[in-house]
Amino acid sequence: MAPSPLNEPERRPEVDAVFDAVVVGAGFAGLYMLHRLRGLGFTARVYEAGGSVGGTWYWNRYPGARCDVESMQYSFSFSEDLDQQWDWSEKYAPQPEILAYANHVADRFDLRRHIWFDTRVMAASFDEAAKCWRIETDHGDQVSAKFCIMAVGCLSAANHPPFRGRQDFSGPVYHTGEWPHEGVDFTGLRVGIIGTGSSAIQSIPIIAQQACALTVFQRTATYSVPAWNEKLTPEYRSSIKADYPALRAKARARPTGFYFPFNMKPASEATEEERERQYQEAWERGGLPFLGAYGDLLFEKAANDTIAEFARRKIRSIVKDPATAELLCPDNVFGCKRLCVDTGYFETYNLPHVKLVDVSKTPIERFMADGIEVNGVGYPLDTIICATGFAAMTGSFDKIRITGRNGVTLAEKWRAGPRAYLGVATAGFPNLFTITGPGSPSVLASMIQAIEQHVDWMADFMAHVRDIGAATIEPLPDFEDEWVEHVNEVSKVSLRSTCSSWYVGANIPGRPRVFMPYIGGFPVYVQKCNEVMTNGFEGFAIEGANAGNEAPRVQLTERWRVPLDIEVISPAAVAGRRVPVV
Ligand code: FAD
Ligand code: NAP
């Protein structure tokens, strides 16, 4: 990794500098946005709270961290050379490899020189007179920019539940999303892990190999499908690379933004034997595509019950102790919370030193000096891991004081739940863009696809604003309201809106309960963005000296002419607006 001249803790604060754009965050979103801005000739500064690029993959270094969208699809598609030259080693790449990829992208496209690391943006205020954003960081930087782009991530604000007695615990406490860079050796230690979401499920089997005792505190049992991870052979990689653009195009036409075999037939129309065969085959393929076994699984409760029961039978067949197996069997809708993908998760509970503690009815009472107390019982521990997730979608926005027109803050505007037009911008906050913001497919799509589409669309919009000499753009409230209503309406069609997941902010007490991502499907959303653009950025007020109703001069980036995969999957094809999503 090339050293960054800007990665200097002692650097002098940047005061009064003026940029065309300031980008907050240097994960995949911030990196690609910087690349596009520079390509358009804009001046830009990126601020990143972490010490280097990579975002999620910089912070989440817990044992076993890896992607669960296949690596050959969980990667940028904007550069055919990059696609051809980068070799993924495994079906699901481990965190260090994904981080190496992010660093490779930063170096290859010479991005570091415009990024300040170890610098957190604390405030961004729209100056109505000057029509620009004033941005302040914890390093003393005070700069202004015409555009401010939030690339702060959907899963980047760690959730630290306020456990009673937290400070009394004498050992170290870790959060999976803020893992020490030097790693942690659990050899011979009594380890407690709180949570059974994706992060816990990936790390538990590995930590169990080191710890002398592992106690898992489970509030909600989780469905998980085996990853069947494997090394990728050169032959396999070559077969994809022989026509990578075709795979990318197929992926974009899918509601999830990634490609896998999907059976459109409804489970309710299959016989029990057919279903069993189909689920078994899908289980053997493994991973998130398991949800592609039938087309109605996320829409019909009766259909969902059949896959849920299959998954429970799998748990019971793997976990030897019947009481532990029952505790591990979820009783909620299959795939309602984000489906987990594992390697040996349920098998881990067959190890004699691994114990499961149910905290669903009697929550964690407190941290003691030497462990955790639940229901009057003390569990002795040397170290505790909080795999307690994130303040999803809006958590990193909440940490920045973002002030728009008339002194209104974003936190005030979003108090009852986030409101944004297409998830890209919000009324009252001119020239502010939100990459994978609430109201866009974001976490319901393969996120690098979602990021690229947003960045391209925003970059085209900014180029248009410059070309026509406009000063500001901003969603019109009516259009924003209509979109927010549409996002809510579509979510009701899916069983996913029915449970207490982080998609609805329910993982953290006190957060508004709103289904935040757009569940209508990635290609449907892309088509809507394209229409908005080709209709002269319909739904946006464009103001400034030469602004008018000029049609955009920018051309739709060819790869975003996404066809709906009507024959196979589309809202129209599956009972009304129903869209299968994983
Ligand atoms: P992030 O990677 O979260 O980057 C945001 C950056 O903004 C961070 O580096 C943060 O430090 C910085 N930042 C935030 N606030 C500030 C501030 N105020 N000032 C300065 N900097 C700030 N998605 C998938 O599609 N497939 C997967 O397999 C997958 N696996 C995942 C595994 C884990 C463990 C997690 C947590 C998420 C996973 N995701 C996955 C989602 C993942 O977050 C996205 O795929 C993607 O990496 C997001 O990139 P981003 O740039 O939008 O956000
Ligand atoms: P998560 O899915 O939100 O899981 C957090 C876990 O902590 C849940 O089991 C939750 O229980 C529990 N928890 C939270 N507060 C608690 C409390 N006060 N007491 C007891 N338990 C508590 O978080 P995550 O596992 O970090 O994953 C977040 C998202 O990141 C995933 O859904 C996925 O999108 C992404 N991710 C992907 C991968 C991958 O495989 N590629 C890996 C990690 C993360 P409840 O369910 O009851 O709230």
Side-chain angles (χ1 to χ4, degrees):
M1 185 201 313
S4 166
L6 299 190
N7 198 355
E8 301 159 3
E10 301 310 318
R11 73 173 173 86
R12 287 162 63 156
E14 203 165 33
V15 178
D16 294 336
V18 179
F19 301 98
D20 292 319
V22 158
V23 181
V24 188
F28 286 126
L31 289 178
Y32 185 47
M33 180 48 94
L34 176 59
H35 177 62
R36 284 300 320 266
L37 287 166
R38 285 218 320 234
L40 288 166
F42 284 117
T43 57
R45 166 72 70 234
V46 179
Y47 293 109
E48 167 53 58
S52 188
V53 300
T56 288
W57 307 101
Y58 172 86
W59 295 106
N60 290 262
R61 297 168 187 242
Y62 59 83
R66 56 178 72 243
C67 56
D68 61 3
V69 168
E70 291 187 21
S71 317
M72 293 209 63
Q73 298 198 53
Y74 185 67
S75 45
F76 281 125
S77 64
F78 69 87
S79 163
E80 177 69 6
D81 285 348
L82 175 63
D83 262 352
Q84 290 299 330
Q85 283 163 24
W86 185 266
D87 280 339
W88 293 106
S89 66
E90 297 178 44
K91 181 174 170 189
Y92 300 111
Q95 171 270 331
E97 191 170 333
I98 305 174
L99 184 59
Y101 174 78
N103 277 292
H104 172 80
V105 169
D107 292 337
R108 185 183 185 104
F109 298 99
D110 188 22
L111 300 175
R112 285 179 208 280
R113 64 196 163 92
H114 290 123
I115 309 174
W116 282 127
F117 295 106
D118 295 310
T119 306
R120 181 171 286 280
V121 169
M122 305 302 290
S125 315
F126 185 66
D127 181 331
E128 298 199 44
K131 302 208 183 313
C132 69
W133 283 90
R134 309 277 184 205
I135 289 122
E136 294 170 36
T137 75
D138 63 356
H139 201 85
D141 306 295
Q142 294 183 344
V143 303
S144 49
K146 177 162 180 168
F147 297 104
C148 181
I149 300 136
M150 294 294 166
V152 293
C154 294
L155 296 162
S156 56
N159 171 33
H160 293 278
F163 293 113
R164 194 155 72 89
R166 160 74 182 78
Q167 59 297 340
D168 298 341
F169 183 64
S170 54
V173 179
Y174 304 103
H175 189 288
T176 48
E178 296 169 343
W179 203 257
H181 288 202
E182 62 280 15
V184 185
D185 182 4
F186 294 109
T187 308
L189 296 180
R190 297 167 303 172
V191 180
I193 181 159
I194 303 170
T196 49
S198 301
S199 302
I201 278 180
Q202 286 187 328
S203 53
I204 283 169
I206 313 232
I207 294 170
Q209 288 167 21
Q210 290 185 352
C212 70
L214 178 64
T215 308
V216 179
F217 297 89
Q218 172 186 276
R219 188 166 69 181
T220 309
T222 318
Y223 294 105
S224 187
V225 179
W228 309 125
N229 188 31
E230 59 191 0
K231 294 268 180 233
L232 294 180
T233 61
E235 294 72 33
Y236 177 80
R237 286 195 295 259
S238 299
S239 70
I240 301 264
K241 289 182 181 186
D243 199 359
Y244 223 145
L247 174 65
R248 299 295 196 183
K250 280 201 296 191
R252 284 181 207 118
R254 288 305 181 86
T256 52
F258 69 105
Y259 182 78
F260 56 87
F262 198 100
N263 173 24
M264 282 301 287
K265 200 176 155 185
S268 46
E269 286 176 14
T271 65
E272 214 175 311
E273 294 72 35
E274 281 171 345
R275 276 199 302 264
E276 189 67 17
R277 213 173 30 248
Q278 179 71 7
Y279 289 145
Q280 184 58 33
E281 276 175 29
W283 188 266
E284 282 164 20
R285 279 198 300 275
L288 299 176
F290 184 59
L291 264 170
Y294 285 105
D296 56 351
L297 295 173
L298 286 171
F299 306 107
E300 301 295 346
K301 179 67 169 60
N304 193 281
D305 287 345
T306 64
I307 196 169
E309 193 46 40
F310 179 89
R312 282 190 288 264
R313 267 189 279 123
K314 285 288 180 194
I315 296 171
R316 292 182 187 119
S317 73
I318 297 169
V319 180
K320 292 188 181 130
D321 173 49
T324 305
E326 281 321 297
L327 271 184
L328 287 167
C329 282
D331 61 1
N332 51 15
V333 167
F334 185 93
C336 193
K337 291 191 177 205
R338 172 68 151 64
L339 185 59
C340 298
V341 176
D342 73 279
T343 299
Y345 172 65
F346 293 115
E347 290 82 349
T348 303
Y349 291 95
N350 292 332
L351 298 173
H353 66 294
V354 177
K355 179 197 268 293
L356 183 66
V357 176
D358 177 22
V359 296
S360 62
K361 292 172 200 78
T362 47
I364 289 171
E365 177 67 27
R366 64 180 177 115
F367 283 19
M368 308 174 298
D370 58 351
I372 282 180
E373 184 182 316
V374 180
N375 203 17
V377 179
Y379 295 89
L381 302 168
D382 300 311
T383 183
I384 296 173
I385 300 165
C386 293
T388 45
F390 302 89
M393 310 287 298
T394 54
S396 282
F397 287 94
D398 295 342
K399 292 185 178 178
I400 309 172
R401 187 172 171 81
I402 302 171
T403 312
R405 287 195 196 279
N406 306 315
V408 175
T409 65
L410 192 66
E412 285 160 356
K413 176 171 174 184
W414 285 7
R415 186 153 290 146
R419 304 185 70 78
Y421 182 38
L422 303 175
V424 296
T426 184
F429 297 80
N431 295 359
L432 180 82
F433 287 112
T434 53
I435 303 177
T436 64
S440 74
S442 60
V443 290
L444 294 177
S446 175
M447 281 207 69
I448 300 185
Q449 286 287 331
I451 286 167
E452 283 189 87
Q453 185 266 340
H454 261 188
V455 169
D456 283 340
W457 192 91
M458 290 169 188
D460 288 348
F461 201 175
M462 287 185 273
H464 174 64
V465 168
R466 177 182 62 187
D467 290 350
I468 64 171
T472 61
I473 61 101
E474 181 183 350
L476 294 163
D478 285 356
F479 281 77
E480 180 170 295
D481 291 347
E482 202 181 307
W483 181 254
V484 172
E485 197 181 318
H486 173 60
V487 172
N488 290 335
E489 278 306 305
V490 173
S491 76
K492 287 181 198 149
V493 178
S494 167
L495 293 173
R496 276 202 163 135
S497 61
T498 62
C499 70
S500 303
S501 65
W502 57 256
Y503 295 129
V504 296
N507 60 327
I508 300 178
R511 299 194 96 205
R513 288 230 178 178
V514 183
F515 196 88
M516 291 182 278
Y518 177 59
I519 205 167
F522 186 66
V524 177
Y525 173 82
V526 175
Q527 200 178 56
K528 171 73 181 170
C529 290
N530 291 350
E531 277 168 23
V532 166
M533 178 177 167
T534 50
N535 290 338
F537 293 103
E538 186 181 24
F540 283 87
I542 303 180
E543 291 173 359
N546 303 318
N549 290 327
E550 282 190 60
R553 292 176 199 164
V554 287
Q555 293 295 314
L556 201 63
T557 310
E558 192 55 40
R559 65 203 176 101
W560 296 117
R561 287 183 204 283
V562 175
L564 293 179
D565 201 350
I566 295 285
E567 293 302 317
V568 187
I569 300 168
S570 82
V574 192
R577 299 190 80 99
R578 297 173 184 198
V579 195
V581 276
V582 293

